[in-house]
Amino acid sequence: MASIKENIENVNAKIEAACQRSGRKREDVLLLAVSKTIDVPRIKEAVACGLTELGENKVQEIMDKYEPMGNGVKWHLIGHLQTNKVKYIIDKVVLIHSVESFKLAEEISKRAVQKGVTANVLVEVNIADEESKFGVKPDECEQFIKDISILPNIIVKGLMTVAPAVENPEENRKYFRQMKQLLVDINSKKIDNVSMDVLSMGMTGDYEVAIEEGATIVRVGTGIFGARFYPNKNS
Ligand SMILES: *Cc1c(COP(=O)(O)O)cnc(C)c1O
């Protein structure tokens, strides 16, 4: 089995190649290491290889790993966020990728005001209109952003999507392209306080295609840490 270091070298090489193919700059794409279910010693291996921005999909895991991982890392919340848990992470994360309801945005705003911080957020888009997925519909995205951008202490930095699970990553190219177009379209509306330049899209199976279509953050877990092990999944 390849080491974390080898995995990261491999992913970085593929990111570099995808950037070259599409005429993009390597520094315009952030490799976010998705560390869900991964323990602190292994995450530290990835950090030692230069991956200092970490993504978790559960509030509890950020809380558990926050102190042990120390100051040298930045946390991103990439999974569904329950309103009642916002208060635990509002001053611990640099970006919340998964804002998809007004109620959640209101709570993020309220807690950010209380803590005297600015919350950077992405709007999660259900680009393929999958029933199982969270996210606003593409045609509701502009109005949603208008609604939440007037809340205090919240800044909409861009859009995020979790594309469908597919065999061939090419199947998701159209969705990544639609995401980029949506970002461009909404920016062109010149909504007050909204200038979006972040596109969080692409995971282990499809990050190269996502980069070719304009991703600025790719969220890679398995490709870095190997297959995830979920203890007591059925208990
Ligand atoms: C788990 C997860 C990822 C990473 O998935 P891999 O296929 O392991 O790279 C990316 N984004 C979100 C929202 C996730 O929950």
Side-chain angles (χ1 to χ4, degrees), residues 34-49:
V34 176
S35 52
K36 63 190 187 195
T37 78
I38 308 300
D39 60 23
V40 165
R42 288 171 72 219
I43 302 173
K44 284 187 172 168
E45 279 185 55
V47 175
C49 298

Side-chain angles (χ1 to χ4, degrees), residues 34 36 57 78-79 160 162 203-205 219-223 228:
V34 176
K36 63 190 187 195
N57 67 339
I78 61 173
M160 175 271 210
V162 179
M203 303 170 28
T204 295
R219 309 179 308 265
V220 179
T222 317
R228 278 181 293 276

Side-chain angles (χ1 to χ4, degrees), residues 46-60:
V47 175
C49 298
L51 299 190
T52 54
E53 305 217 18
L54 307 169
E56 291 282 351
N57 67 339
K58 291 207 172 81
V59 165
Q60 188 62 50

